[in-house]
Amino acid sequence: MILALLRRAGLVATAALLTLLALATPAAAHGADAPDGTDYRTEATGLTPARPGLTVRAVEAGARLELVNRTGRDVEVIGYSGEPYLRVGPAGAYENSRSPATYLNRTLAGDTTLPPEADPAAPPQWRRIADEPRVRWHDQRTQWRESGPPAQAVADPNRTHRVRDWAVPMRDGAEQVEIRGTLDWVPPPDPYPWWVAATLGFLAVAAAGLLPAGSVAGERALRAVGALLALGGAAAVVLVVGRELDAGAAGVGGVLAGLLSGQIWPLLTGLGAIAAGGYALARRPAAADFALALSGACLALFAGVANLGVLSRAVAPVPWPGQYARLLLLAVLVGGAGAVGAGILRLHAASRTAPTATTHTEVSA
C-alpha cells in the first residue's frame, strides 16, 4: 500500500515539476534582459549640467539606465546617430520608431535586426511606451561591447580597472545635457570554494535522511532538514526581492508588482520551501518527506540553478556586494538540494520497510 502511494507521489512530483518548467520557460523568456551577474560595474554619476527634477541611475546590474523626469517639461535622450531616441515628460515616455537605437536597445547584446523604417535622418515618429515620466533602456555607450576583457584587465587581473568614463547626450529644450558615468572591470570571484561549500553542505544535509525515521535521532534530523529548507527558502525570497530593488522597483507596491510580473516562480518556490520546512518542523514524517523532496527540488532549480552566474561574477543583480548574494545562493543550494537528498532517502527507506511490516502481519495472522 505504502509503495503504491509512493509511486503515485513520484508521478505527481514529476508532473508538477514538468508543469513548472513549462510555465517558467516563457516567463523567463519574456522577463527583463538583465544579467545574472557581470564583471563590469556601470555607474551613473550624474547630469552635466545638473538639472533639478531630473534623476538618473543604473539598474539591473548596470544593464539599463533609468531616467525620471519631474521637471514638468519634455526631455529627449539622443540616439547613436544624433537622432531623437526617447522623450520623457509630463505626458509619459515615448520612443522614436524611426531611431535605430529603438531597435538596437531591445536586447542587451544589441543584436536586433533594423527594420526598413529605422532612419535617423527621418522626422521622429513618437510611440508611447509608458504613462509615467520614467523610462529605462539598454545603452551601448555604457557597456563593454567586446567579447574578451579589456587589455588592462588581461595584464593585471587581480585588481579593479577603470575601462572608461562614458556620456549619453540629452536635450532639455534647446540646451544640451549629458548623463555622465563610469564603467569598471571588477575581478571575478573564484567559484571553486563556493562549489566545494555547496557540495559539502548538500552531502551533510542529505545524510540526515539515513537516520531511521522512527527514532529520536530521525525525528531530530527531519526537523533540522526542515529548518535548513526554510532557511534556504527565506534566502531565495531575499534574493528575488533584491533583484527587484536593483531593477529600480520603488516602494512596497513597486516591489510586489515586479515580483508578481517577473519573479513569480522563484518567489513561489521560496515561499513553498518555507512552508514545507515548517511542515517538517511540525513532526509529520510521512507527508513531510515528500514535501521536503518536492519543494527542495523546486527551490534548487528555480532559485538556485537559475542564479548560478552569481558564483562566478563580481557584480550581482542585487543592491549589495556580490559576496552577500553568493552567501544567500549557497543557502538556497544547500537547503534545496540537501532536502531533496534527505527526502528521497527517507522515502526509499519507508518503501523498503513497508513490505516487511506487511509480511510480519500476515505471518502473525
Side-chain angles (χ1 to χ4, degrees), residues 127-170:
R127 179 170 53 205
R128 191 171 188 170
I129 56 175
D131 295 333
E132 58 179 343
R134 179 195 309 265
V135 67
R136 299 173 187 167
W137 74 99
H138 296 304
D139 200 300
Q140 298 178 12
R141 292 163 288 202
T142 71
Q143 307 294 325
W144 178 250
R145 305 281 299 159
E146 305 299 327
S147 57
Q152 59 267 44
V154 175
D156 184 4
N158 296 318
R159 67 184 185 90
T160 301
H161 296 277
R162 174 61 46 84
V163 178
R164 65 170 177 267
D165 296 325
W166 52 262
V168 174
M170 298 197 310

mmCIF file of all heavy atoms in Angstrom, residues 127-170:
data_model
loop_
_atom_site.group_PDB
_atom_site.id
_atom_site.type_symbol
_atom_site.label_atom_id
_atom_site.label_comp_id
_atom_site.label_asym_id
_atom_site.label_seq_id
_atom_site.Cartn_x
_atom_site.Cartn_y
_atom_site.Cartn_z
ATOM 1 N N ARG A 127 6.127 57.023 -30.288
ATOM 2 C CA ARG A 127 5.230 55.959 -29.863
ATOM 3 C C ARG A 127 5.275 55.886 -28.341
ATOM 4 O O ARG A 127 6.337 55.738 -27.741
ATOM 5 C CB ARG A 127 5.672 54.635 -30.479
ATOM 6 C CG ARG A 127 4.818 53.432 -30.082
ATOM 7 C CD ARG A 127 5.192 52.232 -30.931
ATOM 8 N NE ARG A 127 6.624 51.961 -30.887
ATOM 9 C CZ ARG A 127 7.314 51.331 -31.844
ATOM 10 N NH1 ARG A 127 6.693 50.958 -32.940
ATOM 11 N NH2 ARG A 127 8.596 51.101 -31.703
ATOM 12 N N ARG A 128 4.113 55.963 -27.735
ATOM 13 C CA ARG A 128 4.051 55.993 -26.274
ATOM 14 C C ARG A 128 4.387 54.620 -25.700
ATOM 15 O O ARG A 128 3.842 53.595 -26.130
ATOM 16 C CB ARG A 128 2.666 56.427 -25.821
ATOM 17 C CG ARG A 128 2.565 56.741 -24.334
ATOM 18 C CD ARG A 128 1.232 57.367 -24.021
ATOM 19 N NE ARG A 128 1.151 57.855 -22.656
ATOM 20 C CZ ARG A 128 0.165 58.601 -22.198
ATOM 21 N NH1 ARG A 128 -0.824 58.953 -23.021
ATOM 22 N NH2 ARG A 128 0.161 59.005 -20.943
ATOM 23 N N ILE A 129 5.257 54.576 -24.680
ATOM 24 C CA ILE A 129 5.659 53.322 -24.057
ATOM 25 C C ILE A 129 5.387 53.289 -22.555
ATOM 26 O O ILE A 129 5.477 52.228 -21.942
ATOM 27 C CB ILE A 129 7.152 53.021 -24.321
ATOM 28 C CG1 ILE A 129 8.028 54.186 -23.833
ATOM 29 C CG2 ILE A 129 7.397 52.752 -25.796
ATOM 30 C CD1 ILE A 129 9.523 53.914 -23.954
ATOM 31 N N ALA A 130 5.053 54.430 -21.948
ATOM 32 C CA ALA A 130 4.757 54.464 -20.516
ATOM 33 C C ALA A 130 3.933 55.696 -20.200
ATOM 34 O O ALA A 130 4.066 56.738 -20.853
ATOM 35 C CB ALA A 130 6.042 54.459 -19.687
ATOM 36 N N ASP A 131 3.084 55.583 -19.175
ATOM 37 C CA ASP A 131 2.242 56.700 -18.766
ATOM 38 C C ASP A 131 2.961 57.649 -17.810
ATOM 39 O O ASP A 131 2.604 58.823 -17.725
ATOM 40 C CB ASP A 131 0.965 56.183 -18.096
ATOM 41 C CG ASP A 131 0.089 55.393 -19.055
ATOM 42 O OD1 ASP A 131 0.160 55.663 -20.269
ATOM 43 O OD2 ASP A 131 -0.646 54.507 -18.587
ATOM 44 N N GLU A 132 3.928 57.152 -17.082
ATOM 45 C CA GLU A 132 4.636 57.981 -16.117
ATOM 46 C C GLU A 132 5.924 58.538 -16.728
ATOM 47 O O GLU A 132 6.427 58.005 -17.722
ATOM 48 C CB GLU A 132 4.961 57.170 -14.861
ATOM 49 C CG GLU A 132 5.805 55.931 -15.122
ATOM 50 C CD GLU A 132 6.106 55.188 -13.836
ATOM 51 O OE1 GLU A 132 5.954 55.793 -12.754
ATOM 52 O OE2 GLU A 132 6.506 54.022 -13.918
ATOM 53 N N PRO A 133 6.451 59.619 -16.159
ATOM 54 C CA PRO A 133 7.664 60.247 -16.721
ATOM 55 C C PRO A 133 8.931 59.510 -16.309
ATOM 56 O O PRO A 133 9.838 60.069 -15.701
ATOM 57 C CB PRO A 133 7.618 61.660 -16.134
ATOM 58 C CG PRO A 133 6.938 61.491 -14.817
ATOM 59 C CD PRO A 133 5.900 60.422 -15.036
ATOM 60 N N ARG A 134 8.994 58.241 -16.651
ATOM 61 C CA ARG A 134 10.114 57.379 -16.282
ATOM 62 C C ARG A 134 10.388 56.430 -17.436
ATOM 63 O O ARG A 134 9.457 55.885 -18.032
ATOM 64 C CB ARG A 134 9.773 56.591 -15.019
ATOM 65 C CG ARG A 134 10.853 55.630 -14.535
ATOM 66 C CD ARG A 134 10.280 54.654 -13.508
ATOM 67 N NE ARG A 134 9.561 55.340 -12.441
ATOM 68 C CZ ARG A 134 10.097 55.680 -11.281
ATOM 69 N NH1 ARG A 134 11.370 55.391 -11.035
ATOM 70 N NH2 ARG A 134 9.370 56.299 -10.365
ATOM 71 N N VAL A 135 11.649 56.201 -17.739
ATOM 72 C CA VAL A 135 11.989 55.294 -18.828
ATOM 73 C C VAL A 135 13.282 54.567 -18.486
ATOM 74 O O VAL A 135 14.163 55.105 -17.821
ATOM 75 C CB VAL A 135 12.132 56.066 -20.165
ATOM 76 C CG1 VAL A 135 13.343 57.007 -20.155
ATOM 77 C CG2 VAL A 135 12.220 55.111 -21.344
ATOM 78 N N ARG A 136 13.373 53.319 -18.918
ATOM 79 C CA ARG A 136 14.577 52.511 -18.750
ATOM 80 C C ARG A 136 14.988 51.961 -20.102
ATOM 81 O O ARG A 136 14.139 51.562 -20.893
ATOM 82 C CB ARG A 136 14.329 51.344 -17.785
ATOM 83 C CG ARG A 136 13.941 51.770 -16.388
ATOM 84 C CD ARG A 136 13.560 50.550 -15.556
ATOM 85 N NE ARG A 136 13.031 50.959 -14.260
ATOM 86 C CZ ARG A 136 12.388 50.150 -13.429
ATOM 87 N NH1 ARG A 136 12.194 48.897 -13.759
ATOM 88 N NH2 ARG A 136 11.936 50.600 -12.264
ATOM 89 N N TRP A 137 16.286 51.912 -20.335
ATOM 90 C CA TRP A 137 16.755 51.407 -21.627
ATOM 91 C C TRP A 137 18.186 50.888 -21.532
ATOM 92 O O TRP A 137 18.976 51.336 -20.715
ATOM 93 C CB TRP A 137 16.669 52.511 -22.686
ATOM 94 C CG TRP A 137 17.712 53.593 -22.588
ATOM 95 C CD1 TRP A 137 18.875 53.700 -23.311
ATOM 96 C CD2 TRP A 137 17.703 54.745 -21.714
ATOM 97 N NE1 TRP A 137 19.582 54.824 -22.950
ATOM 98 C CE2 TRP A 137 18.884 55.482 -21.978
ATOM 99 C CE3 TRP A 137 16.815 55.209 -20.741
ATOM 100 C CZ2 TRP A 137 19.193 56.664 -21.296
ATOM 101 C CZ3 TRP A 137 17.130 56.369 -20.058
ATOM 102 C CH2 TRP A 137 18.293 57.093 -20.343
ATOM 103 N N HIS A 138 18.495 49.888 -22.407
ATOM 104 C CA HIS A 138 19.876 49.484 -22.604
ATOM 105 C C HIS A 138 20.572 50.585 -23.402
ATOM 106 O O HIS A 138 19.973 51.182 -24.299
ATOM 107 C CB HIS A 138 19.956 48.187 -23.413
ATOM 108 C CG HIS A 138 19.339 47.004 -22.727
ATOM 109 N ND1 HIS A 138 19.718 46.595 -21.477
ATOM 110 C CD2 HIS A 138 18.386 46.126 -23.139
ATOM 111 C CE1 HIS A 138 19.026 45.527 -21.135
ATOM 112 N NE2 HIS A 138 18.200 45.228 -22.122
ATOM 113 N N ASP A 139 21.830 50.816 -23.092
ATOM 114 C CA ASP A 139 22.576 51.815 -23.854
ATOM 115 C C ASP A 139 23.992 51.300 -24.083
ATOM 116 O O ASP A 139 24.744 51.052 -23.138
ATOM 117 C CB ASP A 139 22.624 53.152 -23.104
ATOM 118 C CG ASP A 139 22.933 54.308 -24.037
ATOM 119 O OD1 ASP A 139 24.013 54.286 -24.671
ATOM 120 O OD2 ASP A 139 22.099 55.231 -24.137
ATOM 121 N N GLN A 140 24.334 51.108 -25.357
ATOM 122 C CA GLN A 140 25.629 50.538 -25.702
ATOM 123 C C GLN A 140 26.787 51.436 -25.284
ATOM 124 O O GLN A 140 27.915 50.954 -25.120
ATOM 125 C CB GLN A 140 25.689 50.275 -27.209
ATOM 126 C CG GLN A 140 24.663 49.266 -27.681
ATOM 127 C CD GLN A 140 24.695 49.061 -29.179
ATOM 128 O OE1 GLN A 140 25.616 49.499 -29.862
ATOM 129 N NE2 GLN A 140 23.678 48.380 -29.707
ATOM 130 N N ARG A 141 26.537 52.702 -25.079
ATOM 131 C CA ARG A 141 27.603 53.614 -24.680
ATOM 132 C C ARG A 141 28.071 53.384 -23.248
ATOM 133 O O ARG A 141 29.147 53.846 -22.858
ATOM 134 C CB ARG A 141 27.126 55.059 -24.872
ATOM 135 C CG ARG A 141 26.952 55.431 -26.333
ATOM 136 C CD ARG A 141 26.110 56.676 -26.534
ATOM 137 N NE ARG A 141 24.690 56.464 -26.253
ATOM 138 C CZ ARG A 141 23.711 57.215 -26.731
ATOM 139 N NH1 ARG A 141 23.998 58.239 -27.543
ATOM 140 N NH2 ARG A 141 22.446 56.975 -26.435
ATOM 141 N N THR A 142 27.267 52.675 -22.472
ATOM 142 C CA THR A 142 27.623 52.408 -21.075
ATOM 143 C C THR A 142 28.197 51.009 -20.883
ATOM 144 O O THR A 142 28.573 50.653 -19.766
ATOM 145 C CB THR A 142 26.393 52.561 -20.177
ATOM 146 O OG1 THR A 142 25.490 51.469 -20.416
ATOM 147 C CG2 THR A 142 25.673 53.877 -20.443
ATOM 148 N N GLN A 143 28.241 50.197 -21.942
ATOM 149 C CA GLN A 143 28.603 48.794 -21.832
ATOM 150 C C GLN A 143 29.967 48.511 -22.468
ATOM 151 O O GLN A 143 30.455 49.266 -23.303
ATOM 152 C CB GLN A 143 27.540 47.918 -22.516
ATOM 153 C CG GLN A 143 26.125 48.164 -22.056
ATOM 154 C CD GLN A 143 25.915 47.763 -20.620
ATOM 155 O OE1 GLN A 143 26.495 46.799 -20.128
ATOM 156 N NE2 GLN A 143 25.070 48.518 -19.901
ATOM 157 N N TRP A 144 30.550 47.373 -22.063
ATOM 158 C CA TRP A 144 31.734 46.849 -22.746
ATOM 159 C C TRP A 144 31.254 45.896 -23.826
ATOM 160 O O TRP A 144 30.629 44.882 -23.549
ATOM 161 C CB TRP A 144 32.642 46.116 -21.755
ATOM 162 C CG TRP A 144 33.860 45.503 -22.382
ATOM 163 C CD1 TRP A 144 34.119 44.173 -22.547
ATOM 164 C CD2 TRP A 144 34.993 46.188 -22.922
ATOM 165 N NE1 TRP A 144 35.330 43.978 -23.154
ATOM 166 C CE2 TRP A 144 35.903 45.206 -23.394
ATOM 167 C CE3 TRP A 144 35.332 47.530 -23.051
ATOM 168 C CZ2 TRP A 144 37.125 45.532 -23.983
ATOM 169 C CZ3 TRP A 144 36.550 47.853 -23.635
ATOM 170 C CH2 TRP A 144 37.425 46.863 -24.098
ATOM 171 N N ARG A 145 31.542 46.215 -25.085
ATOM 172 C CA ARG A 145 30.951 45.511 -26.210
ATOM 173 C C ARG A 145 31.830 44.397 -26.770
ATOM 174 O O ARG A 145 31.388 43.641 -27.625
ATOM 175 C CB ARG A 145 30.649 46.517 -27.326
ATOM 176 C CG ARG A 145 29.778 47.688 -26.889
ATOM 177 C CD ARG A 145 28.338 47.308 -26.816
ATOM 178 N NE ARG A 145 27.852 46.881 -28.102
ATOM 179 C CZ ARG A 145 26.781 46.121 -28.305
ATOM 180 N NH1 ARG A 145 26.108 45.673 -27.262
ATOM 181 N NH2 ARG A 145 26.399 45.786 -29.506
ATOM 182 N N GLU A 146 33.071 44.288 -26.318
ATOM 183 C CA GLU A 146 33.972 43.287 -26.856
ATOM 184 C C GLU A 146 33.711 41.930 -26.205
ATOM 185 O O GLU A 146 33.162 41.838 -25.105
ATOM 186 C CB GLU A 146 35.423 43.705 -26.631
ATOM 187 C CG GLU A 146 35.761 45.080 -27.191
ATOM 188 C CD GLU A 146 35.576 45.167 -28.685
ATOM 189 O OE1 GLU A 146 35.800 44.140 -29.365
ATOM 190 O OE2 GLU A 146 35.200 46.244 -29.187
ATOM 191 N N SER A 147 34.155 40.866 -26.885
ATOM 192 C CA SER A 147 33.936 39.517 -26.367
ATOM 193 C C SER A 147 34.853 39.188 -25.199
ATOM 194 O O SER A 147 34.485 38.430 -24.302
ATOM 195 C CB SER A 147 34.140 38.485 -27.485
ATOM 196 O OG SER A 147 35.444 38.605 -28.049
ATOM 197 N N GLY A 148 36.065 39.726 -25.179
ATOM 198 C CA GLY A 148 37.007 39.468 -24.112
ATOM 199 C C GLY A 148 37.160 40.662 -23.204
ATOM 200 O O GLY A 148 36.681 41.764 -23.500
ATOM 201 N N PRO A 149 37.836 40.494 -22.074
ATOM 202 C CA PRO A 149 38.038 41.606 -21.136
ATOM 203 C C PRO A 149 38.987 42.644 -21.713
ATOM 204 O O PRO A 149 39.747 42.364 -22.659
ATOM 205 C CB PRO A 149 38.635 40.923 -19.896
ATOM 206 C CG PRO A 149 39.257 39.669 -20.414
ATOM 207 C CD PRO A 149 38.419 39.230 -21.560
ATOM 208 N N PRO A 150 38.990 43.865 -21.188
ATOM 209 C CA PRO A 150 39.897 44.911 -21.676
ATOM 210 C C PRO A 150 41.360 44.544 -21.431
ATOM 211 O O PRO A 150 41.677 43.715 -20.568
ATOM 212 C CB PRO A 150 39.476 46.150 -20.881
ATOM 213 C CG PRO A 150 38.729 45.627 -19.705
ATOM 214 C CD PRO A 150 38.111 44.351 -20.118
ATOM 215 N N ALA A 151 42.237 45.187 -22.192
ATOM 216 C CA ALA A 151 43.669 44.847 -22.150
ATOM 217 C C ALA A 151 44.251 45.014 -20.755
ATOM 218 O O ALA A 151 45.064 44.178 -20.304
ATOM 219 C CB ALA A 151 44.424 45.713 -23.155
ATOM 220 N N GLN A 152 43.869 46.063 -20.038
ATOM 221 C CA GLN A 152 44.433 46.273 -18.706
ATOM 222 C C GLN A 152 44.007 45.184 -17.723
ATOM 223 O O GLN A 152 44.758 44.840 -16.798
ATOM 224 C CB GLN A 152 44.065 47.666 -18.179
ATOM 225 C CG GLN A 152 42.581 47.950 -18.061
ATOM 226 C CD GLN A 152 42.007 48.622 -19.289
ATOM 227 O OE1 GLN A 152 42.317 48.230 -20.411
ATOM 228 N NE2 GLN A 152 41.180 49.650 -19.081
ATOM 229 N N ALA A 153 42.821 44.618 -17.929
ATOM 230 C CA ALA A 153 42.372 43.526 -17.063
ATOM 231 C C ALA A 153 43.132 42.242 -17.364
ATOM 232 O O ALA A 153 43.419 41.454 -16.459
ATOM 233 C CB ALA A 153 40.876 43.307 -17.230
ATOM 234 N N VAL A 154 43.453 42.026 -18.631
ATOM 235 C CA VAL A 154 44.245 40.852 -19.005
ATOM 236 C C VAL A 154 45.647 40.959 -18.423
ATOM 237 O O VAL A 154 46.212 39.984 -17.923
ATOM 238 C CB VAL A 154 44.298 40.706 -20.538
ATOM 239 C CG1 VAL A 154 45.223 39.566 -20.945
ATOM 240 C CG2 VAL A 154 42.895 40.472 -21.098
ATOM 241 N N ALA A 155 46.218 42.174 -18.466
ATOM 242 C CA ALA A 155 47.573 42.373 -17.956
ATOM 243 C C ALA A 155 47.646 42.256 -16.445
ATOM 244 O O ALA A 155 48.628 41.754 -15.889
ATOM 245 C CB ALA A 155 48.093 43.741 -18.410
ATOM 246 N N ASP A 156 46.598 42.698 -15.737
ATOM 247 C CA ASP A 156 46.588 42.660 -14.275
ATOM 248 C C ASP A 156 45.184 42.283 -13.811
ATOM 249 O O ASP A 156 44.360 43.144 -13.503
ATOM 250 C CB ASP A 156 46.997 44.026 -13.712
ATOM 251 C CG ASP A 156 47.111 44.017 -12.197
ATOM 252 O OD1 ASP A 156 46.954 42.934 -11.594
ATOM 253 O OD2 ASP A 156 47.342 45.093 -11.606
ATOM 254 N N PRO A 157 44.892 40.967 -13.760
ATOM 255 C CA PRO A 157 43.516 40.525 -13.475
ATOM 256 C C PRO A 157 43.152 40.504 -11.999
ATOM 257 O O PRO A 157 42.066 40.044 -11.652
ATOM 258 C CB PRO A 157 43.497 39.102 -14.047
ATOM 259 C CG PRO A 157 44.900 38.622 -13.891
ATOM 260 C CD PRO A 157 45.778 39.831 -14.080
ATOM 261 N N ASN A 158 44.014 40.991 -11.140
ATOM 262 C CA ASN A 158 43.764 40.900 -9.704
ATOM 263 C C ASN A 158 43.262 42.189 -9.075
ATOM 264 O O ASN A 158 43.111 42.256 -7.853
ATOM 265 C CB ASN A 158 45.045 40.446 -8.986
ATOM 266 C CG ASN A 158 45.463 39.052 -9.400
ATOM 267 O OD1 ASN A 158 44.638 38.153 -9.530
ATOM 268 N ND2 ASN A 158 46.762 38.876 -9.634
ATOM 269 N N ARG A 159 43.041 43.210 -9.854
ATOM 270 C CA ARG A 159 42.522 44.447 -9.287
ATOM 271 C C ARG A 159 41.514 45.083 -10.237
ATOM 272 O O ARG A 159 41.455 44.756 -11.425
ATOM 273 C CB ARG A 159 43.648 45.436 -8.971
ATOM 274 C CG ARG A 159 44.380 45.985 -10.167
ATOM 275 C CD ARG A 159 45.533 46.876 -9.730
ATOM 276 N NE ARG A 159 46.194 47.519 -10.866
ATOM 277 C CZ ARG A 159 45.850 48.684 -11.363
ATOM 278 N NH1 ARG A 159 44.819 49.346 -10.845
ATOM 279 N NH2 ARG A 159 46.494 49.211 -12.389
ATOM 280 N N THR A 160 40.731 46.006 -9.691
ATOM 281 C CA THR A 160 39.709 46.703 -10.469
ATOM 282 C C THR A 160 40.348 47.715 -11.411
ATOM 283 O O THR A 160 41.311 48.393 -11.064
ATOM 284 C CB THR A 160 38.730 47.413 -9.530
ATOM 285 O OG1 THR A 160 38.120 46.431 -8.673
ATOM 286 C CG2 THR A 160 37.646 48.142 -10.302
ATOM 287 N N HIS A 161 39.799 47.813 -12.635
ATOM 288 C CA HIS A 161 40.324 48.744 -13.629
ATOM 289 C C HIS A 161 39.201 49.635 -14.156
ATOM 290 O O HIS A 161 38.095 49.154 -14.434
ATOM 291 C CB HIS A 161 40.951 47.984 -14.810
ATOM 292 C CG HIS A 161 42.149 47.165 -14.436
ATOM 293 N ND1 HIS A 161 43.411 47.695 -14.341
ATOM 294 C CD2 HIS A 161 42.258 45.844 -14.130
ATOM 295 C CE1 HIS A 161 44.268 46.736 -13.998
ATOM 296 N NE2 HIS A 161 43.592 45.607 -13.860
ATOM 297 N N ARG A 162 39.498 50.919 -14.314
ATOM 298 C CA ARG A 162 38.570 51.833 -14.962
ATOM 299 C C ARG A 162 38.670 51.615 -16.469
ATOM 300 O O ARG A 162 39.704 51.838 -17.080
ATOM 301 C CB ARG A 162 38.919 53.267 -14.589
ATOM 302 C CG ARG A 162 38.110 54.359 -15.315
ATOM 303 C CD ARG A 162 36.607 54.294 -15.045
ATOM 304 N NE ARG A 162 36.266 54.122 -13.649
ATOM 305 C CZ ARG A 162 36.171 55.131 -12.768
ATOM 306 N NH1 ARG A 162 36.410 56.373 -13.155
ATOM 307 N NH2 ARG A 162 35.835 54.888 -11.522
ATOM 308 N N VAL A 163 37.590 51.156 -17.077
ATOM 309 C CA VAL A 163 37.571 50.915 -18.516
ATOM 310 C C VAL A 163 37.421 52.227 -19.265
ATOM 311 O O VAL A 163 38.187 52.525 -20.184
ATOM 312 C CB VAL A 163 36.437 49.933 -18.886
ATOM 313 C CG1 VAL A 163 36.375 49.723 -20.402
ATOM 314 C CG2 VAL A 163 36.632 48.598 -18.176
ATOM 315 N N ARG A 164 36.449 53.030 -18.833
ATOM 316 C CA ARG A 164 36.280 54.345 -19.447
ATOM 317 C C ARG A 164 35.237 55.131 -18.673
ATOM 318 O O ARG A 164 34.440 54.578 -17.920
ATOM 319 C CB ARG A 164 35.857 54.235 -20.918
ATOM 320 C CG ARG A 164 34.487 53.608 -21.125
ATOM 321 C CD ARG A 164 34.029 53.758 -22.576
ATOM 322 N NE ARG A 164 32.755 53.112 -22.814
ATOM 323 C CZ ARG A 164 32.603 51.875 -23.251
ATOM 324 N NH1 ARG A 164 33.663 51.150 -23.512
ATOM 325 N NH2 ARG A 164 31.387 51.369 -23.438
ATOM 326 N N ASP A 165 35.254 56.439 -18.884
ATOM 327 C CA ASP A 165 34.155 57.310 -18.493
ATOM 328 C C ASP A 165 33.239 57.441 -19.707
ATOM 329 O O ASP A 165 33.716 57.600 -20.835
ATOM 330 C CB ASP A 165 34.675 58.689 -18.085
ATOM 331 C CG ASP A 165 35.564 58.618 -16.854
ATOM 332 O OD1 ASP A 165 35.286 57.786 -15.975
ATOM 333 O OD2 ASP A 165 36.542 59.386 -16.788
ATOM 334 N N TRP A 166 31.946 57.381 -19.491
ATOM 335 C CA TRP A 166 31.018 57.436 -20.613
ATOM 336 C C TRP A 166 30.051 58.607 -20.460
ATOM 337 O O TRP A 166 29.892 59.174 -19.381
ATOM 338 C CB TRP A 166 30.244 56.120 -20.756
ATOM 339 C CG TRP A 166 29.559 55.624 -19.520
ATOM 340 C CD1 TRP A 166 30.009 54.689 -18.648
ATOM 341 C CD2 TRP A 166 28.266 56.046 -19.015
ATOM 342 N NE1 TRP A 166 29.101 54.488 -17.630
ATOM 343 C CE2 TRP A 166 28.024 55.311 -17.838
ATOM 344 C CE3 TRP A 166 27.321 56.968 -19.447
ATOM 345 C CZ2 TRP A 166 26.867 55.465 -17.077
ATOM 346 C CZ3 TRP A 166 26.164 57.131 -18.701
ATOM 347 C CH2 TRP A 166 25.948 56.392 -17.533
ATOM 348 N N ALA A 167 29.407 58.937 -21.556
ATOM 349 C CA ALA A 167 28.427 60.027 -21.571
ATOM 350 C C ALA A 167 27.313 59.682 -22.549
ATOM 351 O O ALA A 167 27.565 59.132 -23.623
ATOM 352 C CB ALA A 167 29.083 61.343 -21.957
ATOM 353 N N VAL A 168 26.082 59.960 -22.146
ATOM 354 C CA VAL A 168 24.903 59.785 -23.002
ATOM 355 C C VAL A 168 24.266 61.160 -23.178
ATOM 356 O O VAL A 168 23.839 61.777 -22.198
ATOM 357 C CB VAL A 168 23.899 58.802 -22.377
ATOM 358 C CG1 VAL A 168 22.612 58.748 -23.216
ATOM 359 C CG2 VAL A 168 24.513 57.413 -22.249
ATOM 360 N N PRO A 169 24.202 61.680 -24.422
ATOM 361 C CA PRO A 169 23.671 63.028 -24.628
ATOM 362 C C PRO A 169 22.153 63.090 -24.507
ATOM 363 O O PRO A 169 21.443 62.143 -24.863
ATOM 364 C CB PRO A 169 24.122 63.364 -26.050
ATOM 365 C CG PRO A 169 24.276 62.040 -26.724
ATOM 366 C CD PRO A 169 24.710 61.065 -25.655
ATOM 367 N N MET A 170 21.663 64.226 -23.992
ATOM 368 C CA MET A 170 20.234 64.504 -23.908
ATOM 369 C C MET A 170 19.999 65.949 -24.359
ATOM 370 O O MET A 170 20.941 66.735 -24.494
ATOM 371 C CB MET A 170 19.709 64.313 -22.485
ATOM 372 C CG MET A 170 19.835 62.910 -21.939
ATOM 373 S SD MET A 170 18.772 62.669 -20.486
ATOM 374 C CE MET A 170 19.202 64.070 -19.484
#
